Amino acid sequence: MRQATKDKVKDDLYRRRHSLAHVLAQAVLRLRPNAQLGFGPPTDNGFYYDFLFDQPLTSDDLPEIEEQMRQILKEKQVFERRMIPVDEAIEELSKRGATLKAEYAQELKSKGETELSFYTNGSFMDMCEGPHVENTREIPHNCFKLDTVAGAYWRGDENREMLTRIYGLGFDSKKDLNDFLELRRLAMERDHRKLGQELDLYVIDEKVGVGLPMWLPNGTVIRDELEKLAKEVEFKAGYKHVATPHITKASLYYTSGHLPHYQEDMFPPMELEDEEPYYLKPMNCPHHHMLFASRPRSYRELPLRISEYGQVYRYEKSGALSGLLRVRGMAMNDAHIYCMPEQVEDEFERVLEMHRYYYKMFRLTDFWMRFSIHDDAKEKYVENAKAWEESEAAIQRVVDRMDIRYEIGKGEAAFYGPKIDFQIANVIGREETASTNQLDFAIPERFGLKYIGPDGAEHTPYCIHRAPLGTHERFISFLIEHFGGAFPTWMAPLQVRVVPISDEVADFAHKIKDVLHNDLFRTDIDDSGESFNKRLRNAITSKIPNMLIVGKKEAAENKITWRRYAVKEQQTMSFDDFHRILQTMRNQRIMDNFADVTLPE
């Protein structure tokens, strides 16, 4: 489909959703004539409208409102726009008792508006900029559904009236609506907050602090395996691993520019007697810059790649916190690459290739890049036209070679240089930023970082900030939802469960468990008093990837019956063969439900 056609489809859907919001408001006023209107915009998946009711409205009222909406659609009401002088509009709204709309119209007048846009359809009129469909018959009666009821303060002000917000879903067709509902059901089933609780991965307790996850043993396994993977990949790529403190003096953050420009996203200072304040670190880069500056550097050491899974702390507002996606304490897969100008392109390309490697490994196939550049019209950027031109040109050449889809975001660069964000689509297609890479030509100079070049003179290095796996918290939330909590063997919290059919084979079951445990496999035995089938169901519910069933025949022949999660066929084989396959799955980090695993030669 050509871009122009795509844009038209998008515009048509926007108009339909916006018109459905007006149809919703009209339907509500037919049933609740004393209701006052707030705002009613389209959304990414539909529409909503805010109302002030004299009597409460609940989700039980939605079917009746929905039926009234369908009746309005049949009436073939035409949407017509009128421009009304602002004073006349305020008078008309006040006369109708629409005090909220009149208040907003008065505010627009104070900002210099002389006319206001209104749309009418049938007997309904609303202050609105549009656009809308031509008439209500253009909207299929089965392409929408009223969804939920929630509270919302007028204009988002907690000191103002609490309104009732009715959310609706709206799509091009009934099929699209049903497809979305199925995707959402899947998303709710895979929600990392739900699965995190069911699988004992992490907890967030207000007594410790909101936004501060505590990892339970099962979640810590996933963290450790992810970090182990990153350290191996980085070791092979020539990175040097470091560790830095969680706090530092305020003066370091004045040098870096975090104070005062980033202060609102930092935790308050720790005031100490006779010393300058200390801060929890929001980023690792100032500490890494100090490591680079700890001794004289030669061009022969460059590129110098310093990496750390560093714990950082950022003050997110409580309303923005969301499970592991938005937290206040996070462990970042961070690294800083110090290099000469002629090394920038090659190093940046290596960084982007590392991203691609991880995403393909985890089967996160729906990803793309956002290339953020500066905007001369904005004052926040470092003034160095030549450096901006050269840096953005270098990254442009890299992304053009990568064969990865990308978009350009003008005015979205970091203040010290251009950046690449990797975007991924979650299980319902919603876009999330997974990780960021930045080319920094300004901060090394601010820190006085130098290396001795081939000419014997001092030069300032470029710095590449990169975090291909983002933070433990955010990336693991993606993986929980991506895998539905059923992790591949190499990173599963419990890799093997042995299920003896009877007490008579308990010794053999414990022998298997001990052999695997001594080979550092996470293994347990379910020899509880529950029925055999219940024990199998328990293992499936816990999403354990490998179940080993042992009975008298298996014990006599040193065999096991291997049952894999989400695989119908069971296999009976010697325990030694299974052990070798298990080692292959771990050592090669097999991802695909083990279907491609065979005995090593």
mmCIF file of all heavy atoms in Angstrom, residues 9 40 379 429 460 547 552 595:
data_model
loop_
_atom_site.group_PDB
_atom_site.id
_atom_site.type_symbol
_atom_site.label_atom_id
_atom_site.label_comp_id
_atom_site.label_asym_id
_atom_site.label_seq_id
_atom_site.Cartn_x
_atom_site.Cartn_y
_atom_site.Cartn_z
ATOM 1 N N VAL A 9 -6.300 6.061 4.869
ATOM 2 C CA VAL A 9 -6.957 5.088 5.743
ATOM 3 C C VAL A 9 -6.878 5.554 7.187
ATOM 4 O O VAL A 9 -7.860 5.499 7.939
ATOM 5 C CB VAL A 9 -6.315 3.695 5.573
ATOM 6 C CG1 VAL A 9 -6.811 2.741 6.648
ATOM 7 C CG2 VAL A 9 -6.618 3.146 4.183
ATOM 8 N N GLY A 40 -14.056 15.038 24.420
ATOM 9 C CA GLY A 40 -14.278 13.737 23.810
ATOM 10 C C GLY A 40 -13.421 13.506 22.583
ATOM 11 O O GLY A 40 -13.914 13.609 21.458
ATOM 12 N N GLU A 379 16.785 25.856 21.812
ATOM 13 C CA GLU A 379 17.930 26.406 22.534
ATOM 14 C C GLU A 379 18.676 25.379 23.372
ATOM 15 O O GLU A 379 19.761 25.648 23.866
ATOM 16 C CB GLU A 379 17.480 27.557 23.437
ATOM 17 C CG GLU A 379 16.903 28.743 22.665
ATOM 18 C CD GLU A 379 16.470 29.863 23.596
ATOM 19 O OE1 GLU A 379 16.552 29.655 24.832
ATOM 20 O OE2 GLU A 379 16.045 30.923 23.094
ATOM 21 N N GLY A 429 1.079 -5.025 19.751
ATOM 22 C CA GLY A 429 1.508 -4.088 18.729
ATOM 23 C C GLY A 429 1.810 -2.694 19.225
ATOM 24 O O GLY A 429 2.135 -1.818 18.438
ATOM 25 N N THR A 460 40.493 15.382 22.337
ATOM 26 C CA THR A 460 39.302 14.986 23.092
ATOM 27 C C THR A 460 38.606 13.847 22.369
ATOM 28 O O THR A 460 38.325 13.953 21.163
ATOM 29 C CB THR A 460 38.328 16.168 23.234
ATOM 30 O OG1 THR A 460 38.991 17.233 23.912
ATOM 31 C CG2 THR A 460 37.085 15.763 24.018
ATOM 32 N N MET A 547 9.807 -31.681 32.111
ATOM 33 C CA MET A 547 9.337 -32.594 33.156
ATOM 34 C C MET A 547 9.877 -33.986 32.843
ATOM 35 O O MET A 547 9.764 -34.445 31.696
ATOM 36 C CB MET A 547 7.815 -32.627 33.212
ATOM 37 C CG MET A 547 7.189 -31.338 33.704
ATOM 38 S SD MET A 547 5.405 -31.324 33.413
ATOM 39 C CE MET A 547 5.342 -30.748 31.721
ATOM 40 N N LYS A 552 8.754 -47.509 37.307
ATOM 41 C CA LYS A 552 9.565 -48.705 37.538
ATOM 42 C C LYS A 552 10.389 -49.071 36.306
ATOM 43 O O LYS A 552 11.570 -49.415 36.402
ATOM 44 C CB LYS A 552 8.664 -49.881 37.901
ATOM 45 C CG LYS A 552 8.056 -49.808 39.288
ATOM 46 C CD LYS A 552 7.242 -51.068 39.569
ATOM 47 C CE LYS A 552 6.595 -51.015 40.955
ATOM 48 N NZ LYS A 552 5.799 -52.244 41.213
ATOM 49 N N ALA A 595 12.456 -27.718 19.754
ATOM 50 C CA ALA A 595 12.133 -28.616 18.643
ATOM 51 C C ALA A 595 13.350 -28.934 17.790
ATOM 52 O O ALA A 595 13.393 -29.958 17.119
ATOM 53 C CB ALA A 595 11.041 -27.995 17.778
#
